Amino acid sequence: DLGVYRHYMQKEIHEQPRAVSDTIEGVIDGGVDVDGLFGAGAMEAFKDLSGALILASGTSYYAGLVARYWIESLAQLPCNVELGHEYRYRDSIPDHRQLVVTISQSGETLDTMEALKRAKELGHGRTLSICNVRESAIPRASKFVFYTRAGAEIGVASTKAFTTQLVSLFTLALAIAKSRGRLSAQAEHDALEQLRFVPGSIQHALNLEPQVQAWAERFALRDHALFLGRGMHYPVALEGALKLKEISYIHAEAYPAGELKHGPLALVDENMPVVVIAPNDQLLEKVKSNMQEVRARGGELYVFADLDSHFTESEGVHVIRTPRYSGILSPIVHTIPVQLLAYHTALKRGTDVDKPRNLAKSVTVE
Ligand code: F6R
């Protein structure tokens, strides 16, 4: 049932245009409207929110980190994102007008489930789950539910679950914005229009596979890698580093690029490949100056740019261009090449891609 693919992970990476379009089908085919997506009463419950609190683990937590940008900028709602296992053991100050959002592919992750229980004990009533498995524990314990339609994810490393979580969280940001009167009909229409392009842009990014594979040959010979991004693309850097360490066992770390000179720059020399997520957004100039800091120390740069970002390959600077800059949805498209890089690096190193050592698909223990 792998078809033309060697591993489930590769198959699931390639399923993303389909997984994403299935997930947003109801949104964009249903008369261009975000009302009703999150269940009866959701729009009413979003109306007087004071904030959002997102709880998740691992890759799902990174989806939450991206969502924070969307929720704060589109819905103008303060948003915190926290790892479930941290939240549940600390004395937080509950604000019952917050929306508590859990994100989980499996719906069974104990850390996230216990965080949700803790939030409910603290009196939180407005709980919403974004989940890929119907009727699993976390959605069952939540008031509102949105199911991603990624289909079964078998590879231990999460791929299509992540991108479908992202599109779901984007529609959540739109729904909250709308119920708070912060989204004009035109803005809603435009945002959904942008969303419609995402599966096609993902497909374009997938077509970069041979180029990414060539980079992977070099990464496979390294023991360390650094991933940099800024703003909405910092979580993409985190996701790239997590995928790489998880399946290829190469030590990888991610930093917001502005943090380099506060410490990690000391690690950079000719043996440190540095992956940079550099779309043509308002932070590009800043990212470029961080790239120069790396080059000045002899670090090799591997840059994921898009068709609109202006810079060229040069000595020690390798560039792969994803499709045109996709605006606020750009983190979704930029996720694809970092997944492919991890996959092909692991393949080269001969690790067990679908079942990396020491890890389980669903983490139901503490
Ligand atoms: C990484 C990965 C994990 C999961 C995490 C949460 O590739 O798969 O980090 O994202 O264990 O799992 P879910 O989303 O099932 O709650």
Side-chain angles (χ1 to χ4, degrees), residues 213-229:
Q213 201 170 351
W215 283 11
E217 308 257 329
R218 301 195 219 161
F219 275 74
L221 306 171
R222 306 295 190 155
D223 296 317
H224 307 275
L226 210 54
F227 284 71
L228 303 177

PDB file of all heavy atoms in Angstrom, residues 213-229:
ATOM      1  N   GLN A 213      17.285  16.653  -2.507  1.00  0.00           N
ATOM      2  CA  GLN A 213      18.000  15.379  -2.398  1.00  0.00           C
ATOM      3  C   GLN A 213      19.509  15.587  -2.580  1.00  0.00           C
ATOM      4  O   GLN A 213      20.317  14.980  -1.882  1.00  0.00           O
ATOM      5  CB  GLN A 213      17.463  14.465  -3.496  1.00  0.00           C
ATOM      6  CG  GLN A 213      17.684  13.016  -3.246  1.00  0.00           C
ATOM      7  CD  GLN A 213      16.917  12.159  -4.255  1.00  0.00           C
ATOM      8  OE1 GLN A 213      16.095  12.664  -5.033  1.00  0.00           O
ATOM      9  NE2 GLN A 213      17.188  10.878  -4.231  1.00  0.00           N
ATOM     10  N   ALA A 214      19.876  16.468  -3.490  1.00  0.00           N
ATOM     11  CA  ALA A 214      21.300  16.755  -3.702  1.00  0.00           C
ATOM     12  C   ALA A 214      21.917  17.381  -2.448  1.00  0.00           C
ATOM     13  O   ALA A 214      23.046  17.056  -2.068  1.00  0.00           O
ATOM     14  CB  ALA A 214      21.468  17.671  -4.914  1.00  0.00           C
ATOM     15  N   TRP A 215      21.181  18.247  -1.791  1.00  0.00           N
ATOM     16  CA  TRP A 215      21.677  18.821  -0.529  1.00  0.00           C
ATOM     17  C   TRP A 215      21.824  17.722   0.533  1.00  0.00           C
ATOM     18  O   TRP A 215      22.760  17.730   1.329  1.00  0.00           O
ATOM     19  CB  TRP A 215      20.711  19.881  -0.001  1.00  0.00           C
ATOM     20  CG  TRP A 215      20.792  21.196  -0.705  1.00  0.00           C
ATOM     21  CD1 TRP A 215      21.462  21.488  -1.857  1.00  0.00           C
ATOM     22  CD2 TRP A 215      20.161  22.421  -0.284  1.00  0.00           C
ATOM     23  NE1 TRP A 215      21.287  22.812  -2.182  1.00  0.00           N
ATOM     24  CE2 TRP A 215      20.488  23.399  -1.235  1.00  0.00           C
ATOM     25  CE3 TRP A 215      19.344  22.760   0.798  1.00  0.00           C
ATOM     26  CZ2 TRP A 215      20.044  24.720  -1.129  1.00  0.00           C
ATOM     27  CZ3 TRP A 215      18.892  24.071   0.899  1.00  0.00           C
ATOM     28  CH2 TRP A 215      19.239  25.035  -0.060  1.00  0.00           C
ATOM     29  N   ALA A 216      20.853  16.816   0.548  1.00  0.00           N
ATOM     30  CA  ALA A 216      20.835  15.773   1.577  1.00  0.00           C
ATOM     31  C   ALA A 216      22.105  14.925   1.536  1.00  0.00           C
ATOM     32  O   ALA A 216      22.591  14.470   2.568  1.00  0.00           O
ATOM     33  CB  ALA A 216      19.595  14.901   1.408  1.00  0.00           C
ATOM     34  N   GLU A 217      22.660  14.732   0.339  1.00  0.00           N
ATOM     35  CA  GLU A 217      23.900  13.961   0.212  1.00  0.00           C
ATOM     36  C   GLU A 217      24.988  14.574   1.091  1.00  0.00           C
ATOM     37  O   GLU A 217      25.776  13.882   1.703  1.00  0.00           O
ATOM     38  CB  GLU A 217      24.411  13.988  -1.238  1.00  0.00           C
ATOM     39  CG  GLU A 217      23.386  13.598  -2.263  1.00  0.00           C
ATOM     40  CD  GLU A 217      23.593  12.182  -2.767  1.00  0.00           C
ATOM     41  OE1 GLU A 217      24.753  11.749  -2.792  1.00  0.00           O
ATOM     42  OE2 GLU A 217      22.581  11.534  -3.108  1.00  0.00           O
ATOM     43  N   ARG A 218      25.011  15.906   1.140  1.00  0.00           N
ATOM     44  CA  ARG A 218      26.043  16.576   1.947  1.00  0.00           C
ATOM     45  C   ARG A 218      25.684  16.577   3.429  1.00  0.00           C
ATOM     46  O   ARG A 218      26.543  16.422   4.276  1.00  0.00           O
ATOM     47  CB  ARG A 218      26.212  18.021   1.488  1.00  0.00           C
ATOM     48  CG  ARG A 218      26.597  18.098   0.031  1.00  0.00           C
ATOM     49  CD  ARG A 218      27.097  19.463  -0.293  1.00  0.00           C
ATOM     50  NE  ARG A 218      26.606  19.851  -1.597  1.00  0.00           N
ATOM     51  CZ  ARG A 218      26.561  21.098  -2.020  1.00  0.00           C
ATOM     52  NH1 ARG A 218      26.960  22.073  -1.232  1.00  0.00           N
ATOM     53  NH2 ARG A 218      26.113  21.366  -3.219  1.00  0.00           N
ATOM     54  N   PHE A 219      24.409  16.759   3.706  1.00  0.00           N
ATOM     55  CA  PHE A 219      23.997  16.765   5.121  1.00  0.00           C
ATOM     56  C   PHE A 219      24.272  15.419   5.783  1.00  0.00           C
ATOM     57  O   PHE A 219      24.599  15.358   6.953  1.00  0.00           O
ATOM     58  CB  PHE A 219      22.510  17.119   5.251  1.00  0.00           C
ATOM     59  CG  PHE A 219      22.273  18.599   5.272  1.00  0.00           C
ATOM     60  CD1 PHE A 219      22.389  19.347   4.111  1.00  0.00           C
ATOM     61  CD2 PHE A 219      21.971  19.257   6.454  1.00  0.00           C
ATOM     62  CE1 PHE A 219      22.200  20.719   4.121  1.00  0.00           C
ATOM     63  CE2 PHE A 219      21.783  20.623   6.477  1.00  0.00           C
ATOM     64  CZ  PHE A 219      21.895  21.358   5.309  1.00  0.00           C
ATOM     65  N   ALA A 220      24.127  14.365   4.992  1.00  0.00           N
ATOM     66  CA  ALA A 220      24.297  13.025   5.552  1.00  0.00           C
ATOM     67  C   ALA A 220      25.705  12.814   6.101  1.00  0.00           C
ATOM     68  O   ALA A 220      25.931  11.952   6.949  1.00  0.00           O
ATOM     69  CB  ALA A 220      23.978  11.982   4.482  1.00  0.00           C
ATOM     70  N   LEU A 221      26.659  13.638   5.642  1.00  0.00           N
ATOM     71  CA  LEU A 221      28.051  13.494   6.090  1.00  0.00           C
ATOM     72  C   LEU A 221      28.356  14.333   7.328  1.00  0.00           C
ATOM     73  O   LEU A 221      29.464  14.307   7.832  1.00  0.00           O
ATOM     74  CB  LEU A 221      29.004  13.907   4.960  1.00  0.00           C
ATOM     75  CG  LEU A 221      28.789  13.200   3.624  1.00  0.00           C
ATOM     76  CD1 LEU A 221      29.643  13.832   2.523  1.00  0.00           C
ATOM     77  CD2 LEU A 221      29.103  11.707   3.765  1.00  0.00           C
ATOM     78  N   ARG A 222      27.384  15.078   7.796  1.00  0.00           N
ATOM     79  CA  ARG A 222      27.602  15.992   8.931  1.00  0.00           C
ATOM     80  C   ARG A 222      27.046  15.422  10.232  1.00  0.00           C
ATOM     81  O   ARG A 222      26.178  14.569  10.214  1.00  0.00           O
ATOM     82  CB  ARG A 222      26.893  17.332   8.662  1.00  0.00           C
ATOM     83  CG  ARG A 222      27.265  17.978   7.369  1.00  0.00           C
ATOM     84  CD  ARG A 222      28.708  18.373   7.354  1.00  0.00           C
ATOM     85  NE  ARG A 222      28.975  19.207   6.186  1.00  0.00           N
ATOM     86  CZ  ARG A 222      29.959  20.082   6.120  1.00  0.00           C
ATOM     87  NH1 ARG A 222      30.777  20.247   7.144  1.00  0.00           N
ATOM     88  NH2 ARG A 222      30.141  20.787   5.030  1.00  0.00           N
ATOM     89  N   ASP A 223      27.548  15.973  11.326  1.00  0.00           N
ATOM     90  CA  ASP A 223      27.030  15.542  12.624  1.00  0.00           C
ATOM     91  C   ASP A 223      26.137  16.583  13.277  1.00  0.00           C
ATOM     92  O   ASP A 223      25.464  16.304  14.273  1.00  0.00           O
ATOM     93  CB  ASP A 223      28.187  15.221  13.572  1.00  0.00           C
ATOM     94  CG  ASP A 223      28.991  14.047  13.058  1.00  0.00           C
ATOM     95  OD1 ASP A 223      28.366  13.067  12.603  1.00  0.00           O
ATOM     96  OD2 ASP A 223      30.237  14.117  13.073  1.00  0.00           O
ATOM     97  N   HIS A 224      26.186  17.794  12.750  1.00  0.00           N
ATOM     98  CA  HIS A 224      25.404  18.887  13.346  1.00  0.00           C
ATOM     99  C   HIS A 224      24.801  19.749  12.240  1.00  0.00           C
ATOM    100  O   HIS A 224      25.349  19.825  11.145  1.00  0.00           O
ATOM    101  CB  HIS A 224      26.302  19.795  14.192  1.00  0.00           C
ATOM    102  CG  HIS A 224      27.092  19.064  15.212  1.00  0.00           C
ATOM    103  ND1 HIS A 224      26.590  18.753  16.454  1.00  0.00           N
ATOM    104  CD2 HIS A 224      28.347  18.559  15.170  1.00  0.00           C
ATOM    105  CE1 HIS A 224      27.511  18.086  17.131  1.00  0.00           C
ATOM    106  NE2 HIS A 224      28.587  17.961  16.375  1.00  0.00           N
ATOM    107  N   ALA A 225      23.724  20.418  12.578  1.00  0.00           N
ATOM    108  CA  ALA A 225      23.157  21.407  11.650  1.00  0.00           C
ATOM    109  C   ALA A 225      22.396  22.444  12.454  1.00  0.00           C
ATOM    110  O   ALA A 225      21.876  22.162  13.541  1.00  0.00           O
ATOM    111  CB  ALA A 225      22.220  20.740  10.650  1.00  0.00           C
ATOM    112  N   LEU A 226      22.379  23.639  11.905  1.00  0.00           N
ATOM    113  CA  LEU A 226      21.666  24.739  12.549  1.00  0.00           C
ATOM    114  C   LEU A 226      20.553  25.193  11.605  1.00  0.00           C
ATOM    115  O   LEU A 226      20.770  25.268  10.393  1.00  0.00           O
ATOM    116  CB  LEU A 226      22.673  25.875  12.760  1.00  0.00           C
ATOM    117  CG  LEU A 226      22.525  26.838  13.917  1.00  0.00           C
ATOM    118  CD1 LEU A 226      22.433  26.112  15.242  1.00  0.00           C
ATOM    119  CD2 LEU A 226      23.742  27.788  13.932  1.00  0.00           C
ATOM    120  N   PHE A 227      19.396  25.484  12.148  1.00  0.00           N
ATOM    121  CA  PHE A 227      18.262  25.975  11.340  1.00  0.00           C
ATOM    122  C   PHE A 227      17.882  27.362  11.845  1.00  0.00           C
ATOM    123  O   PHE A 227      17.700  27.551  13.051  1.00  0.00           O
ATOM    124  CB  PHE A 227      17.047  25.043  11.479  1.00  0.00           C
ATOM    125  CG  PHE A 227      17.159  23.757  10.712  1.00  0.00           C
ATOM    126  CD1 PHE A 227      18.044  22.766  11.108  1.00  0.00           C
ATOM    127  CD2 PHE A 227      16.368  23.532   9.594  1.00  0.00           C
ATOM    128  CE1 PHE A 227      18.145  21.572  10.398  1.00  0.00           C
ATOM    129  CE2 PHE A 227      16.452  22.342   8.880  1.00  0.00           C
ATOM    130  CZ  PHE A 227      17.344  21.353   9.277  1.00  0.00           C
ATOM    131  N   LEU A 228      17.759  28.291  10.904  1.00  0.00           N
ATOM    132  CA  LEU A 228      17.392  29.658  11.289  1.00  0.00           C
ATOM    133  C   LEU A 228      16.143  30.126  10.553  1.00  0.00           C
ATOM    134  O   LEU A 228      15.936  29.807   9.385  1.00  0.00           O
ATOM    135  CB  LEU A 228      18.529  30.623  10.935  1.00  0.00           C
ATOM    136  CG  LEU A 228      19.905  30.351  11.519  1.00  0.00           C
ATOM    137  CD1 LEU A 228      20.900  31.378  10.980  1.00  0.00           C
ATOM    138  CD2 LEU A 228      19.872  30.413  13.049  1.00  0.00           C
ATOM    139  N   GLY A 229      15.350  30.906  11.256  1.00  0.00           N
ATOM    140  CA  GLY A 229      14.185  31.541  10.635  1.00  0.00           C
ATOM    141  C   GLY A 229      13.813  32.727  11.500  1.00  0.00           C
ATOM    142  O   GLY A 229      14.335  32.873  12.614  1.00  0.00           O
TER     143      GLY A 229
END
